[in-house]
Amino acid sequence: MPARPVVLVHGFLDTGAVFRRIEKRLADHGRTTHALDFKPSDGRVGLETLAGQLAEYARGELAGAAFDLIGFSMGGLIARYYVQRLGGLAQVGRLLTLAAPHRGTFWSHFAPLPGLRQMRPGSPFIEDLNRDADTLRQVGFVSLWTPYDLLVVPARSAVLQNHPDIRLPIAAHPLMLADRRVLDAIVRLLDAPPPAP
């Protein structure tokens, strides 16, 4: 059976181009990747709007086929909203997040934009997603994070309580997209057996 394709969801002010290193590693490992560009990615719209773009892509370009999902930073919350609220449970095989603010980040208090307000600790958006986060067990969810993150503050906000996480001593938030230890962990996790029903 061919390996599932992998859809990559970028973060704040990014584009799919940030995933070049991950795409190369996954291609070398026989995986097809889809690095999407979410617009606008500057916080002007709510994260549910960007998750809607992911849902539309999954229905159209992927024609309802199963795929794995990786979300970086804000993209981790977009990916979770798709899985938990827009039917992604039926299509996603495995969900990995890299340095995603699952419990919010302090820096989001400094911008009044809708998408950034949703990333404030304790925001209605965060609380709603975390209320039924147990559903993520169905997609083999794992959070990869670094204690040296200066954008997800506090760094442990990238850990979702009662769910698997991998702590990696990566020197900075953006390096989660390029460090060999992260790439190795991604390949290993995507190749792991599916979660038990």
Side-chain angles (χ1 to χ4, degrees):
M1 173 182 280
R4 290 184 298 264
V6 182
V7 174
L8 304 163
V9 184
H10 65 76
F12 178 64
L13 294 179
D14 283 335
T15 68
V18 298
F19 290 112
R20 285 192 185 111
R21 291 284 297 275
I22 292 175
E23 286 190 287
K24 182 181 186 312
R25 180 62 183 274
L26 290 176
D28 290 345
H29 205 68
R31 295 267 186 165
T32 301
T33 57
H34 303 258
L36 310 188
D37 289 332
F38 294 89
K39 298 177 182 175
S41 66
D42 59 4
R44 280 182 290 154
V45 300
L47 304 188
E48 60 270 71
T49 298
L50 303 180
Q53 295 175 24
L54 173 56
E56 184 177 347
Y57 188 88
R59 283 191 304 268
E61 298 298 320
L62 297 176
F67 62 91
D68 292 328
L69 189 55
I70 298 176
F72 169 63
S73 194
M74 181 179 82
L77 295 179
I78 295 168
R80 281 185 59 197
Y81 192 90
Y82 165 67
V83 168
Q84 293 177 243
R85 298 289 177 264
L86 300 180
L89 280 175
Q91 204 167 349
V92 173
R94 192 168 294 279
L95 169 60
L96 309 179
T97 61
L98 314 177
H102 294 297
R103 291 183 285 153
T105 176
F106 169 80
W107 292 114
S108 60
H109 285 289
F110 292 93
L113 297 167
L116 297 181
R117 284 199 305 266
Q118 289 177 317
M119 291 192 287
R120 292 176 181 174
S123 74
F125 182 86
I126 293 280
E127 293 299 304
D128 176 64
L129 281 184
N130 290 346
R131 192 170 295 118
D132 64 346
D134 280 355
T135 59
L136 295 173
R137 298 185 192 285
Q138 298 175 49
V139 294
F141 167 80
V142 180
S143 170
L144 290 80
W145 65 288
T146 173
Y148 305 119
D149 203 320
L150 297 179
L151 291 179
V152 176
V153 178
R156 284 196 63 83
S157 285
V159 176
L160 194 53
Q161 192 172 6
N162 300 321
H163 285 77
D165 70 272
I166 297 176
R167 171 180 165 153
L168 295 164
I170 310 303
H173 184 83
L175 295 180
M176 293 292 288
L177 293 164
D179 191 281
R180 177 187 52 78
R181 291 164 291 183
V182 177
L183 304 184
D184 288 346
I186 287 171
V187 169
R188 184 176 71 252
L189 290 165
L190 292 181
D191 282 349

